[in-house]
Amino acid sequence: MHVDHLLRLDRLDLSLVWGDEALLGQEISGVTATDLEDPERFLQPGEVVLSGLVWWSPDGAPARTDRFVSALRRSGAVALLAGEETHGHVPRELVDACRRHRVALVAVPPHTSFRAVTEAVYLRQWGELNRYPTGHHALPENVRLDLDRALEGGATTGELLDRAFAHLGTPACHLLTPSGRTVARTGGTAELLTREAAEVLRDGRGTTLRVEAEGTDFDAWHLHLPEEGRVPPRVLQEMSELLGRHRRRRDRHRAARGPAAARLVEAIGAARADTERLRSALASCGLADRAAYTVVVAALEPDGNGGADGVAALTEALGHLSSVAFAVAPGAGDEATAVLAHEGGAADGATDDTAARLREVWPLIRACRPESTWRVGLSLPATTPAELNTALAQARYALAATPAAPSPPSSAPCVAGLRDLDGLALLLAGVPADVRDVYRTTVLGPLIGAGRGSGTMLLETLEAFLAHDCSWTRTAEALHIHVNTVHYRVERIESLTGRDLSRLDDRVDLYAALLCR
């Protein structure tokens, strides 16, 4: 509750004697009634002080009045509510002293009891707002009106954040996504590194409040203040609601651009490249006439939201690449597909930088939903719109070659560019999944059918043997077993599969089958 809220309560019939907008917008923490000449030791910051002015008299009034009002100022009182019953009016000396010490002064008429004022304050604070017909807001009215005008005028997120906190001295505040991306921060606030921001949200340090909007696990907004208790909870809640309105408006604008992104993804997925159609689709997304393009395909498993969460995850990941323009839309199946546009410079370097940055971001995106697998494939750079169809096929090949099972946090991220794949891996990535399944079952089926424990052991030995160039000694060292045991297991593998591991073509067959898993 603020001082100006008291003035708007008709049943109290209070009248403002002196006070500007800044003073009237101060938060009220409580009420103290006193007629002591120096009440400082009994007052708490944020209180309004009720006084019948019994201590005041015309003789010696200036000094006594100044002592009383200065005590209110030092204690942090937000307003003086002066009763008119004792003297019939509010003395001029008191008005001058309140103006000099910047303490809001409100007149309480004889027919309004101090008890009624006290109850009005505490009933509001206890949340019983429905007893009164007037609306209640924690933010001062002038601040709310300014923010509403800024919102309607299309202010940026950062501008809204600064305006919302300006009347509180602009405390340090960040608006963060779950992966640690900073959407905005108040002016003068130190920048948070991405990993540090993500850790702050997970650890619960400071004060954090989720902005109520249609966000996902990947792109929701969180207001974070490093200093606890710096902003009253109700004020923070109203700021969150304002940012929620801003977020919903921004999401509507983004949704309006969605059809253009969908048309672009559809155009690059066509069986034959239509250059004019591609140019038009790129222009609709604001990506025309760029030096190079990269196609990115991502899969979130399980998605559970018809591909929408995958699109959100990829959009959030690419949001960390501040210098790259892009368009994202659902692709084939549950895939999310993006077209990235690069400015001048070496096209190859731009694509490599994108892959490297996505590998850095990958753990942060996955941490937003640890039970999911997030895989990404990138194409080679396309220097003309006509090459985008081929680039999409390349990105899908790269995606198909990345591990399907969730990797532990210590493993390499599931982000692969076409140049990251070996020749055989690249070839297999272009083979339909059902064909790979048949080939794997045909070649490795006898090993898998050898028994749960035995089959796993033989597959592990085969992988290690091929990885160490069929060296008996190095395979034994890698598996921490005796060389004779390696000989026995390899003989068993050869017997079950009908392959001879001393022959190159048989080794390739078995290696290819392992890659198809």
Side-chain angles (χ1 to χ4, degrees):
M1 184 178 194
H2 301 92
V3 178
D4 61 345
H5 296 148
L6 271 177
L7 293 169
R8 294 204 301 268
L9 295 178
D10 293 337
R11 71 184 185 88
L12 295 181
D13 199 22
L14 305 178
S15 58
L16 178 65
V17 179
W18 183 86
D20 56 25
E21 286 187 354
L23 296 178
L24 299 181
Q26 295 180 98
E27 180 87 3
I28 297 174
S29 64
V31 183
T32 291
T34 182
D35 270 305
L36 295 174
E37 287 188 24
D38 185 0
E40 182 176 354
R41 64 185 184 277
F42 300 104
L43 303 179
Q44 298 294 324
E47 290 184 327
V48 293
V49 176
L50 283 165
S51 178
L53 305 185
V54 175
W55 54 269
W56 187 86
S57 63
D59 54 311
R64 185 179 299 172
T65 302
D66 191 83
R67 183 165 57 250
F68 181 88
V69 177
S70 64
L72 269 57
R73 176 66 177 174
R74 289 193 302 271
S75 66
V78 296
L80 169 61
L81 273 61
E84 295 180 318
E85 184 172 9
T86 303
H87 303 287
H89 66 285
V90 176
R92 170 53 55 185
E93 292 86 352
L94 187 60
V95 179
D96 294 340
C98 287
R99 182 181 289 110
R100 189 165 53 251
H101 292 286
R102 289 193 56 76
V103 175
L105 179 59
V106 175
V108 182
H111 59 269
T112 299
S113 69
F114 283 5
R115 179 178 178 179
V117 175
T118 302
E119 287 182 348
V121 171
Y122 287 115
L123 286 174
R124 286 290 186 100
Q125 289 184 331
W126 294 335
E128 298 180 7
L129 307 182
N130 57 328
R131 296 191 179 190
Y132 308 107
T134 56
H136 169 74
H137 296 277
L139 284 169
E141 184 174 6
N142 62 308
V143 175
R144 287 189 296 103
L145 291 175
D146 176 64
L147 290 172
D148 285 340
R149 285 193 294 267
L151 184 64
E152 294 300 323
T156 65
T157 311
E159 289 170 347
L160 284 175
L161 207 60
D162 278 335
R163 290 193 183 195
F165 284 100
H167 75 290
L168 296 170
T170 316
C173 179
H174 294 84
L175 186 62
L176 305 171
T177 64
S179 66
R181 181 172 59 89
T182 299
V183 179
R185 54 193 166 107
T186 50
T189 301
E191 185 176 358
L192 274 178
L193 297 177
T194 303
R195 290 184 181 276
E196 182 184 357
E199 289 172 3
V200 160
L201 291 180
R202 287 196 298 270
D203 296 344
R205 285 177 277 166
T207 299
T208 302
L209 182 66
R210 176 167 173 154
V211 174
E212 293 302 323
E214 296 299 323
T216 69
D217 294 337
F218 306 98
D219 61 1
W221 283 0
H222 297 268
L223 266 177
H224 174 74
L225 288 84
E227 186 180 352
E228 290 189 23
R230 180 68 171 80
V231 178
R234 287 182 297 166
V235 173
L236 199 59
Q237 181 64 45
E238 288 191 15
M239 292 177 179
S240 171
E241 291 171 359
L242 172 85
L243 289 168
R245 289 164 54 199
H246 171 66
R247 168 67 187 263
R248 288 188 288 273
R249 175 173 297 201
R250 203 187 75 153
D251 286 348
R252 286 195 296 271
H253 289 319
R254 178 179 292 177
R257 298 194 300 268
R263 286 193 295 271
L264 175 58
V265 170
E266 183 182 358
I268 68 174
R272 298 180 64 180
D274 184 334
T275 304
E276 288 306 314
R277 180 186 179 193
L278 288 165
R279 290 185 188 279
S280 175
L282 287 169
S284 297
C285 295
L287 305 178
D289 301 322
R290 302 301 177 95
Y293 301 94
T294 301
V295 176
V296 180
V297 178
L300 180 71
E301 301 167 358
D303 188 311
N305 197 19
D309 286 351
V311 170
L314 181 56
T315 302
E316 176 62 18
L318 295 175
H320 287 268
L321 284 62
S322 56
S323 60
V324 176
F326 59 87
V328 184
D334 285 342
E335 291 177 357
T337 303
V339 177
L340 281 62
H342 308 286
E343 295 295 346
D348 287 1
T351 299
D352 291 342
D353 289 346
T354 299
R357 186 71 181 111
L358 285 175
R359 289 189 182 97
E360 293 176 9
V361 171
W362 175 84
L364 301 173
I365 298 297
R366 186 174 172 226
C368 296
R369 192 181 291 176
E371 71 278 7
S372 298
T373 305
W374 191 64
R375 300 181 296 123
V376 177
L378 293 89
S379 72
L380 295 175
T383 56
T384 66
E387 297 174 6
L388 285 171
N389 298 68
T390 301
L392 176 60
Q394 293 171 350
R396 285 177 172 163
Y397 288 168
L399 178 70
T402 57
S407 303
S410 59
S411 300
C414 300
V415 178
L418 206 63
R419 275 190 290 266
D420 299 321
L421 306 178
D422 295 329
L424 183 57
L426 175 58
L427 177 64
L428 292 174
V431 176
D434 54 348
V435 176
R436 293 199 303 271
D437 289 342
V438 170
Y439 181 76
R440 182 187 67 246
T441 303
T442 301
V443 176
L444 298 180
L447 296 184
I448 298 171
R452 179 175 300 177
S454 178
T456 301
M457 175 191 68
L458 292 175
L459 287 170
E460 180 185 25
T461 302
L462 175 60
E463 284 184 294
F465 191 63
L466 293 173
H468 291 89
D469 301 320
C470 299
S471 167
W472 307 98
T473 302
R474 284 188 289 149
T475 301
E477 291 173 352
L479 296 175
H480 306 290
I481 58 177
H482 196 275
V483 173
N484 290 343
T485 304
V486 176
H487 278 279
Y488 167 76
R489 291 183 182 178
V490 169
E491 289 174 1
R492 179 73 172 149
I493 291 168
E494 291 177 330
S495 173
L496 288 170
T497 61
R499 262 73 174 181
D500 181 356
L501 282 167
S502 66
R503 291 171 53 86
L504 178 60
D505 53 351
D506 284 348
R507 292 182 196 174
V508 172
D509 286 345
L510 290 166
Y511 180 60
L514 289 171
L515 289 176
C516 287
R517 287 192 298 165

